[in-house]
Amino acid sequence: MTDTTGHRRIRTRRAALTAALALALGLGATAQATAGGPRTIGGKPTDPITRIADFYGAYIDAQHAPDGGRLATELRKHYIDASYLKKLKAWEDSHHADGVLRAQNVPVAWRVTDNGTADYTEAGITLTWGDGKTTKLVVDMTRGSKKIFHIGTKGVEAG
């Protein structure tokens, strides 16, 4: 004969102890929100959307680093078409902001969405800032060289 009341009391005490420990450690809702399975992120270097996402992820990481300026410059050279780098520099000089992010500060999160197109790849970029506000950009990449040739608030075709 099993004592279900005793087992129930032990489970209740464990749950209460776990909750108290989580609150004491400041985990609260965060621990509950991340209690699911492991996250998986994938991609292919031949896929333009993956390349754009890789660029923005690495670029934002570099901009957050205290000494990331050199890496950010190298990432630009690797992912952005050389002729567009000149246009980007001109935009930055006239707007006094980072042309890749179209801002003076660095976002806390980013998301890349495939917008399609036939001759090139167009991606929607959503940048999330520390205050929770978002900025939407459009990035265009050639299918052949897989280099970014346009960054703006509208796609290259829209102007």
Side-chain angles (χ1 to χ4, degrees):
M1 182 177 221
T2 57
D3 179 11
T4 56
T5 306
H7 287 290
R8 192 175 310 131
R9 258 189 256 133
I10 291 170
R11 282 194 303 263
T12 303
R13 283 186 206 150
R14 282 185 191 152
L17 181 60
T18 302
L21 184 58
L23 288 173
L25 293 174
L27 300 175
T30 305
Q32 293 173 358
T34 59
R39 293 178 5 165
T40 301
I41 299 172
K44 298 184 301 189
T46 57
D47 176 55
I49 293 299
T50 299
R51 287 184 58 81
I52 293 169
D54 289 347
F55 169 65
Y56 268 85
Y59 189 82
I60 290 168
D61 284 351
Q63 293 292 36
H64 274 286
D67 59 347
R70 194 175 88 231
L71 176 57
T73 299
E74 292 304 315
L75 288 165
R76 285 174 174 233
K77 289 178 188 176
H78 182 74
Y79 285 96
I80 300 175
D81 183 79
S83 63
Y84 186 68
L85 280 172
K86 293 174 187 171
K87 293 178 184 176
L88 197 60
K89 178 71 173 130
W91 185 95
E92 290 173 334
D93 289 345
S94 67
H95 291 85
H96 307 288
D98 184 302
V100 171
L101 303 173
R102 294 294 200 246
Q104 293 178 334
N105 53 357
V106 183
V108 296
W110 51 269
R111 185 176 66 239
V112 177
T113 305
D114 188 348
N115 287 352
T117 70
D119 298 331
Y120 57 92
T121 298
E122 182 177 280
I125 311 295
T126 303
L127 303 174
T128 303
W129 306 98
D131 61 3
K133 293 181 181 176
T134 61
T135 301
K136 294 191 182 281
L137 300 176
V138 178
V139 174
D140 297 300
M141 177 180 273
T142 63
R143 291 197 185 266
S145 69
K146 295 191 180 41
K147 296 277 188 173
I148 293 170
F149 68 91
H150 172 264
I151 299 171
T153 56
K154 297 178 183 178
V156 71
E157 295 293 323

